Amino acid sequence: MTEKLIDLFEYSYHFNKEMIKVISENLEKVDEKAISLINHTLNAQQVWNSRILGEESFKVWQINPFEHLNEINHQNFKKSIQIIESSDLDQKVEYQNSKGTKFENSIFEMLFQAINHSTYHRGQINSLLKQNGIKPILTDYIFYKR
């Protein structure tokens, strides 16, 4: 299980980097929604990591300086891998969502949510890129593994 989760985070990290690169190369054509979504994608992973570790987190919709996105992506990746390698993935963690509602999930469920959430929003960003005349990135997992 650990190896598979690490592989999925490597996939997500790779395509977050690629998405940041495409956006940076086309900033004049990219709309604010795409910028908001790439920030949200990175912020959400940071939030899930922080919930697991009991640390302070970003706001899910905060806009970070664009030049910091690659470093945020890298830090998120390193922290997710650290969690995977040092945690009992079945352990339950209590946390509050951004509205203050309390929940409890396993570390595995929280990490998988971060991966799945990122995939969903990269798809949205790709749609926005295409609408603005920018070639979208093939981000399917199977293309990553080929």
Side-chain angles (χ1 to χ4, degrees):
M1 175 87 73
T2 299
E3 292 171 11
K4 293 297 180 191
L5 260 181
I6 290 172
D7 180 59
L8 290 172
F9 274 103
E10 288 170 344
Y11 153 74
S12 192
Y13 172 67
H14 171 79
F15 280 116
N16 284 344
K17 276 196 316 189
E18 292 299 308
M19 197 62 71
I20 293 166
K21 180 181 175 194
V22 167
I23 291 170
S24 71
E25 291 170 348
N26 294 281
L27 274 176
E28 69 286 346
K29 293 186 201 176
V30 174
D31 60 26
E32 288 183 31
K33 183 65 176 172
I35 299 293
S36 176
L37 284 171
I38 192 60
N39 274 275
H40 175 69
T41 299
L42 300 177
N43 294 343
Q45 184 177 349
Q46 193 275 346
V47 167
W48 284 110
N49 286 340
S50 295
R51 286 174 177 165
I52 292 167
L53 297 171
E55 298 176 350
E56 289 293 316
S57 67
F58 289 170
K59 302 292 184 208
V60 292
W61 287 104
Q62 78 182 42
I63 302 298
N64 305 294
F66 193 84
E67 61 273 12
H68 294 174
L69 296 187
N70 275 313
E71 181 58 25
I72 292 168
N73 185 42
H74 183 69
Q75 290 303 316
N76 284 345
F77 173 70
K78 285 182 11 181
K79 194 155 278 197
S80 294
I81 299 305
Q82 173 195 346
I83 291 167
I84 293 166
E85 292 177 340
S86 65
S87 301
D88 171 2
L89 298 177
D90 293 323
Q91 178 186 342
K92 299 282 187 176
V93 175
E94 288 185 14
Y95 62 93
Q96 292 182 9
N97 68 6
S98 58
K99 296 178 183 172
T101 307
K102 291 185 180 183
F103 295 96
E104 180 180 274
N105 289 94
S106 73
I107 291 174
F108 172 82
E109 291 166 341
M110 296 166 81
L111 291 171
F112 189 75
Q113 168 61 23
I115 293 164
N116 195 51
H117 184 262
S118 295
T119 302
Y120 172 75
H121 285 305
R122 282 191 301 269
Q124 288 182 308
I125 295 167
N126 261 337
S127 291
L128 292 168
L129 294 177
K130 188 173 183 177
Q131 288 173 16
N132 288 304
I134 303 163
K135 183 179 178 184
I137 304 169
L138 294 175
T139 60
D140 289 344
Y141 178 77
I142 200 69
F143 291 120
Y144 173 73
K145 296 307 286 185
R146 288 183 181 162

